[in-house]
Amino acid sequence: MKVTSYTGLAKPSFLLVHYELPAFAFHRSQMVSISSLCVSSNCKKRCGLVMKLYSYVAGQSHSSTASHLSLSKKDRFSREQKEVNPASFYTHPSLLQMKSERIANRARVYEFLRGIGIVPDELDGLELPVTVDVMRERVEFLHKLGLTIEDINNYPLVLGCSVKKNMVPVLDFLGKLGVRKSTFTEFLRRYPQVLHASVVVDLQPVVKYLQGMDIKPNDIPRVLERYPEVLGFKLEGTMSTSVAYLVGIGVARREIGGVLTKYPDILGMRVGRVIKPFVEYLGSLGIPSLAVARLIEKRPHILGFQLDGKVKPNVKLLLEYNVRHTSLASVIAQYPEIIGIDLESKLLSQRGFLSSIIQLTPEDFGRVIEKMPQIVSLSDKAIVRHVDFLKECGFSMEQMRKMVVGCPQLLALNVDIMKLSFDYFKSTMDRPLDDLVTFPAYFTYGLESTVKPRHKVIVRMGVKCSLAWLLNCSDEKFEERMKYDSIDMEDIEEDSSFDLNSLMKPSTEDSDSEYEDDSDDGYE
């Protein structure tokens, strides 16, 4: 180091030193320790501090600068090693400290959750808010949606969803789609995993797929409300295979949209485990797959009946209650719900009641079920009302029993309309009551559309015939009969039961969706 000048003071406790440095040096003043200078040990002991002044010096020679740098490099490196404290450059805590802090924060969050009744055992490893305040915000938001502590405990992972990043975007998407806010609570109880979903990646593709299945946009919200789990399915997985199988057995492609709208649960059913075994079992009872397809078009919810838990036990019960095996197909085709309801108690109760009110025998009860299986769901009040009407008409107990066995629909028809038909029978047709006992199905024909027009024809032509010959045929067949010279008794059609072949005809009804399930066909 080259010292150009110095000035000694009267009191040698301080030494003022002036350095000549290169022009590129910083121009600033700094107080440094005297130990950093190359001075004698005696002076070092006497001097505590030195005022070191830096300034730009023009015209300084290159050799002077090089000499200064070469002389001070080693000393400066050594000094920095001794004097610089590395901790002064790193103000962040260590990894161990950060880990300890995270553990402490999670412990506080867990303590809060336990305090309100939530069991956090399943939350280990899940990213959670670092503060109790944020976790409290999530819990309060879920409460506003109607979810209880019990609901949260059923799926505690919902606490890993951010209100702003997860919950609000998903709920906004469902609301804009048309899902009613009043259904959000039940929606989230059934499928809380939806709060983890991405609107763009997970939800929108499913909605587009449903629309591609001919489900109308207005029906999409109702489908999601009824079966929210569909939002978690893969597009090319169970959904596509179940639909393909139904089309394969004969469900009309144009009916698929209505079928899925009425019963979207089908989208989650596995073909090999659920749908195919169900179809094949009904086939073993005598119902062709095409007839099953028509049943599914009208009442798709029958696919939800548990084969081993409900269907097979109910079929066994029908056989025990004197339904003939050859009639099982007709019974199920008329009233598919009979294989999915709690049947045993209904059969026992109904058989006992009919036995007490019209003396129906167990064998009679079997025939009644074969002709009108809906009888098992008919209320006692409705039965009493119809039996009372028949009594008022003058029929005996035995006659009523025969009439009910021959035409069980007598117990389910509109009583007011039956009264009009009976009045016309007595006043205009002037026939004996035995004719009604022989052909009780008279009450099932339209008075204005069928009974009156045909009766007028036979009166005009002077034809004497039974009620069965008069009514139990189509309009075309009746016109042919009016051309006969005589009545052929063999031409009289028996009171036919349900025709299974009629079920296999393509549906001609409008395929507009009806979200409401068909119930028991209006039977009380």
Side-chain angles (χ1 to χ4, degrees):
M1 180 181 298
K2 183 176 180 180
V3 180
T4 59
S5 65
Y6 68 90
T7 303
L9 299 179
K11 292 183 180 181
S13 58
F14 289 92
L15 180 65
L16 182 60
V17 182
H18 175 68
Y19 290 91
E20 291 182 359
L21 297 177
F24 54 80
F26 293 105
H27 179 61
R28 62 179 179 177
S29 298
Q30 182 178 355
M31 298 297 294
V32 300
S33 172
I34 191 65
S35 61
S36 64
L37 299 175
C38 298
V39 295
S40 64
S41 59
N42 290 333
C43 188
K44 182 177 180 181
K45 293 178 181 178
R46 296 170 60 187
C47 300
L49 295 173
V50 174
M51 174 71 72
K52 186 167 61 172
L53 304 175
Y54 295 96
S55 63
Y56 291 108
V57 179
Q60 194 65 241
S61 64
H62 179 270
S63 60
S64 174
T65 303
S67 176
H68 164 70
L69 294 175
S70 63
L71 290 173
S72 61
K73 183 176 181 180
K74 184 176 182 181
D75 293 337
R76 191 161 58 248
F77 177 75
S78 177
R79 183 178 68 239
E80 289 175 353
Q81 278 189 324
K82 294 178 180 179
E83 296 182 0
V84 175
N85 182 6
S88 64
F89 294 102
Y90 300 95
T91 58
H92 298 292
S94 66
L95 293 177
L96 181 60
Q97 290 174 322
M98 294 173 64
K99 182 178 180 181
S100 299
E101 186 176 351
R102 285 197 301 268
I103 293 174
N105 289 336
R106 184 172 285 264
R108 285 190 288 270
V109 171
Y110 277 17
E111 182 180 359
F112 163 72
L113 293 176
R114 291 191 183 97
I116 61 176
I118 296 176
V119 181
D121 297 349
E122 297 183 30
L123 301 179
D124 293 342
L126 183 69
E127 184 178 352
L128 295 177
V130 295
T131 65
V132 172
D133 290 339
V134 177
M135 179 57 77
R136 182 182 290 109
E137 178 189 4
R138 291 188 184 183
V139 174
E140 290 176 353
F141 188 82
L142 293 171
H143 282 334
K144 290 179 181 178
L145 294 175
L147 299 182
T148 64
I149 295 298
E150 182 181 358
D151 296 328
I152 297 175
N153 277 327
N154 289 335
Y155 187 72
L157 298 182
V158 74
L159 296 174
C161 296
S162 167
V163 173
K164 295 181 180 179
K165 294 180 180 180
N166 300 105
M167 300 184 192
V168 171
V170 168
L171 296 176
D172 282 348
F173 174 75
L174 295 176
K176 291 177 181 178
L177 225 94
V179 176
R180 295 167 293 181
K181 290 185 178 180
S182 59
T183 67
F184 276 0
T185 301
E186 187 60 29
F187 192 105
L188 294 177
R189 281 175 180 162
R190 287 191 56 175
Y191 189 59
Q193 295 90 335
V194 71
L195 294 178
H196 295 285
S198 164
V199 172
V200 176
V201 177
D202 302 317
L203 305 186
Q204 287 181 349
V206 173
V207 172
K208 290 181 180 179
Y209 181 87
L210 295 177
Q211 292 174 340
M213 290 288 102
D214 295 333
I215 298 177
K216 296 182 179 181
N218 292 338
D219 290 329
I220 294 291
R222 305 292 87 81
V223 170
L224 298 181
E225 288 175 3
R226 173 151 192 172
Y227 193 56
E229 293 89 342
V230 72
L231 290 173
F233 293 155
K234 294 182 179 179
L235 303 184
E236 300 304 324
T238 304
M239 291 197 293
S240 59
T241 56
S242 59
V243 170
Y245 180 82
L246 293 180
V247 173
I249 65 171
V251 175
R253 185 63 183 82
R254 64 185 178 85
E255 299 290 337
I256 288 295
V259 168
L260 297 180
T261 300
K262 293 177 183 177
Y263 195 66
D265 305 59
I266 292 174
L267 293 169
M269 293 181 176
R270 294 189 177 276
V271 172
R273 296 181 183 178
V274 180
I275 303 178
K276 185 178 180 182
F278 180 85
V279 172
E280 290 179 346
Y281 179 72
L282 294 188
S284 70
L285 299 179
I287 306 178
S289 60
L290 189 56
V292 177
R294 296 292 169 264
L295 290 177
I296 292 173
E297 289 176 2
K298 296 179 179 179
R299 292 178 172 82
H301 61 275
I302 65 175
L303 289 174
F305 297 158
Q306 295 181 355
L307 184 59
D308 294 322
K310 279 291 182 186
V311 177
K312 291 181 179 180
N314 282 2
V315 168
K316 183 179 179 181
L317 281 170
L318 290 173
L319 294 173
E320 292 176 357
Y321 278 77
N322 297 295
V323 173
R324 293 168 293 190
H325 193 281
T326 54
S327 299
L328 287 174
S330 173
V331 169
I332 296 171
Q334 292 180 75
Y335 187 47
E337 286 78 4
I338 200 169
I339 57 175
I341 60 178
D342 294 329
L343 187 58
E344 184 171 11
S345 59
K346 290 180 177 291
L347 288 172
L348 182 62
S349 173
Q350 206 71 310
R351 185 175 66 179
F353 182 73
L354 290 173
S355 175
S356 65
I357 197 170
I358 53 174
Q359 298 179 356
L360 213 62
T361 66
E363 290 74 19
D364 292 337
F365 186 61
R367 302 295 82 73
V368 168
I369 294 176
E370 291 175 1
K371 294 182 178 180
M372 194 185 78
Q374 294 89 342
I375 190 73
V376 300
S377 298
L378 203 60
S379 69
D380 293 350
K381 183 178 179 180
I383 294 175
V384 169
R385 184 167 61 249
H386 288 80
V387 170
D388 287 344
F389 164 73
L390 294 177
K391 287 180 179 179
E392 293 173 1
C393 292
F395 296 106
S396 66
M397 182 69 68
E398 178 61 20
Q399 287 176 323
M400 287 190 295
R401 185 189 69 80
K402 290 181 178 180
M403 293 174 71
V404 169
V405 172
C407 183
Q409 288 78 8
L410 290 179
L411 301 178
L413 297 173
N414 186 300
V415 173
D416 293 333
I417 294 178
M418 292 178 70
K419 289 180 179 179
L420 294 176
S421 296
F422 182 75
D423 290 343
Y424 184 80
F425 176 85
K426 288 293 293 181
S427 62
T428 304
M429 299 180 75
D430 193 25
R431 288 173 173 266
L433 288 179
D434 284 341
D435 283 5
L436 291 177
V437 175
T438 304
F439 190 70
Y442 162 83
F443 289 101
T444 64
Y445 291 90
L447 181 61
E448 299 297 332
S449 62
T450 304
V451 176
K452 285 185 178 181
R454 293 188 183 185
H455 175 70
K456 290 178 180 179
V457 170
I458 63 173
V459 169
R460 184 176 66 251
M461 298 182 66
V463 176
K464 298 291 185 180
C465 62
S466 67
L467 287 177
W469 193 90
L470 174 68
L471 300 174
N472 192 22
C473 63
S474 64
D475 290 339
E476 293 77 10
K477 185 68 174 179
F478 179 74
E479 290 179 3
E480 290 182 12
R481 289 177 176 178
M482 290 300 98
K483 298 176 183 178
Y484 295 166
D485 294 333
S486 60
I487 296 177
D488 186 358
M489 297 305 297
E490 294 181 357
D491 191 43
I492 299 178
E493 300 178 9
E494 295 292 331
D495 185 14
S496 60
S497 299
F498 179 79
D499 183 8
L500 193 61
N501 292 326
S502 64
L503 187 63
M504 292 186 282
K505 297 178 181 179
S507 176
T508 57
E509 298 178 359
D510 187 3
S511 60
D512 286 345
S513 67
E514 299 176 1
Y515 184 75
E516 301 80 9
D517 284 338
D518 295 331
S519 55
D520 296 344
D521 292 340
Y523 290 97
E524 301 178 46

